[in-house]
Amino acid sequence: MMKSTYILFALFFLFAITTTLPSATATVLDTDGYPLGNGEAYYILPVFTEGIKDIGGEIELAKTGNDTCPLTIVQSPSKVSNGLPTIITSKLSIGSIKEGLPLDLLFSDNDVPFCSPVPSKWSIVKDDLEKWSVKLAPYYSTREAYFYIENVNLNNYKLGFRSLSST
């Protein structure tokens, strides 16, 4: 069952790379103040703050580079797009998602094109031009990394990834 609530994330959500594991203490809350359920689907929204214009919309899939199938996870340029709901899971959590825990992010198989891999798990991958991006796996060469959620302020969160290797 997909929740109708949303999670707010900072615009720079996919580009935080570090090598240390943060402490997993606080429970991540949705926009209604309820804990994120492990294995539940949520829409990921950008944080709208005063002074920031044309920030775009939610998460969707796009063709990039030489892709023949939309496998790259991008922020929609449309502010009215609902995007795709993202299923958030952690093997280290029972019940609710905590800040800093390693996460698996994926889309429901019903929400992705037939040409995408199943399951539709997000991965950090290197493309033909040696650039790192977030795509549905398996695709290109996958980086050993995991996603995590971190509180930025109040109930605004940042979605990032941490490398498991130094490369």
Side-chain angles (χ1 to χ4, degrees):
M1 172 190 321
M2 188 186 68
K3 302 240 181 197
S4 62
T5 55
Y6 298 90
I7 309 168
L8 297 177
F9 285 96
L11 179 61
F12 51 91
F13 68 96
L14 291 178
F15 303 105
I17 304 174
T18 61
T19 57
T20 59
L21 178 64
S23 63
T25 56
T27 299
V28 178
L29 304 176
D30 66 19
T31 55
D32 291 330
Y34 295 108
L36 259 59
N38 194 359
E40 297 286 333
Y42 296 90
Y43 288 98
I44 298 176
L45 302 172
V47 173
F48 293 101
T49 59
E50 230 175 285
I52 297 178
K53 298 178 182 173
D54 299 323
I55 195 166
E58 289 77 19
I59 302 300
E60 63 183 18
L61 292 170
K63 291 181 188 177
T64 58
N66 295 325
D67 290 347
T68 58
C69 180
L71 297 177
T72 305
I73 295 143
V74 298
Q75 181 182 16
S76 171
S78 170
K79 293 179 186 177
V80 296
S81 168
N82 280 338
L84 295 171
T86 302
I87 300 168
I88 303 172
T89 64
S90 176
K91 295 175 184 147
L92 301 179
S93 180
I94 298 174
S96 61
I97 298 294
K98 307 276 190 219
E99 287 182 50
L101 287 181
L103 302 175
D104 285 328
L105 304 173
L106 58 144
F107 297 124
S108 164
D109 294 339
N110 297 329
D111 291 329
V112 295
F114 71 93
C115 54
S116 69
V118 175
S120 59
K121 183 178 171 186
W122 296 22
S123 291
I124 310 303
V125 296
K126 190 179 285 190
D127 66 18
D128 295 333
L129 301 173
E130 299 294 311
K131 294 182 180 177
W132 292 102
S133 60
V134 181
K135 293 189 179 272
L136 298 182
Y139 200 73
Y140 300 116
S141 59
T142 302
R143 182 176 188 140
E144 291 187 42
Y146 66 88
F147 293 93
Y148 68 95
I149 298 174
E150 178 181 0
N151 191 312
V152 176
N153 61 18
L154 300 172
N155 285 336
N156 295 321
Y157 296 91
K158 168 171 88 170
L159 176 62
F161 66 91
R162 297 193 185 282
S163 175
L164 298 177
S165 63
S166 60
T167 59

